[in-house]
Amino acid sequence: MRRFIGTTLLVIGLIATETVTASAAPLPTCKSVDLGILVAREEGTAGTLYREIKFTMRSPGSCVLRGFPGVSYVDSTGAQVGRAARRDGPTGDLITLTYGTSVSAVAGFTNPGNWDPETCRPQPVWGVRIYPPDEFVPLYIKFPDDVGCAGPVDALSTRAVHRS
């Protein structure tokens, strides 16, 4: 009888372990094709406009995001204007997205007038190219009235994604 109970407990333990292992499979990183983006809010302070970029999961299933989006100005041909956004702050938490849920990242757009025009080299832009964290396919938001710096200045910044 002891042998039967021991064998039964061993089998139950193996089944429970398999169940836990199967459910703990890591989720994939969210892909651009699964995400919609928009500017949720804008707020200006002392020479910088902060835009909350909202990423919303629009596909069935689940995926995760963590870290910084890539943000850069682009012209009407899609060519990058100036430097890509510098990363500010910690990397943040791993966030799971399911259909209809969102995360946001705050991007700072510094006024080109904060620099000497010869250093900034102001240039009208079409908008911004945004790469979700750990993704290589860009998304775009049109900002036709923006002017970026084509010169070697850090005119853009971004913070890591966070729960919306």
Side-chain angles (χ1 to χ4, degrees):
M1 182 71 171
R2 284 186 183 165
R3 182 178 240 179
F4 176 74
I5 291 172
T7 304
T8 303
L9 291 175
L10 179 63
V11 170
I12 291 171
L14 288 172
I15 292 170
T17 302
E18 289 298 319
T19 303
V20 170
T21 303
S23 65
L27 293 172
T29 300
C30 299
K31 301 293 181 196
S32 296
V33 69
D34 298 320
L35 300 170
I37 61 169
L38 57 83
V39 175
R41 190 173 45 148
E42 291 184 346
E43 190 173 305
T45 63
T48 302
L49 177 63
Y50 292 96
R51 292 175 167 138
E52 180 183 3
I53 308 297
K54 189 173 189 176
F55 298 88
T56 302
M57 179 65 163
R58 60 182 189 183
S59 294
S62 299
C63 61
V64 293
L65 282 179
R66 178 183 187 176
F68 299 88
V71 179
S72 58
Y73 273 127
V74 292
D75 64 19
S76 61
T77 68
Q80 184 169 318
V81 174
R83 290 183 177 168
R86 76 174 183 281
R87 297 173 173 189
D88 286 342
T91 302
D93 298 325
L94 185 68
I95 303 170
T96 300
L97 291 176
T98 58
Y99 180 77
T101 60
S102 301
V103 296
S104 295
V106 175
F109 297 79
T110 304
N111 184 330
N114 289 1
W115 288 280
D116 177 277
E118 289 182 27
T119 303
C120 169
R121 297 192 337 251
Q123 178 179 332
V125 297
W126 176 89
V128 290
R129 174 177 51 212
I130 300 174
Y131 293 93
D134 297 321
E135 176 60 312
F136 300 100
V137 176
L139 301 168
Y140 295 89
I141 299 177
K142 189 173 184 178
F143 295 129
D145 297 327
D146 279 15
V147 173
C149 289
V153 298
D154 289 328
L156 302 173
S157 64
T158 185
R159 294 195 168 265
V161 295
H162 60 274
R163 297 184 197 287
S164 295

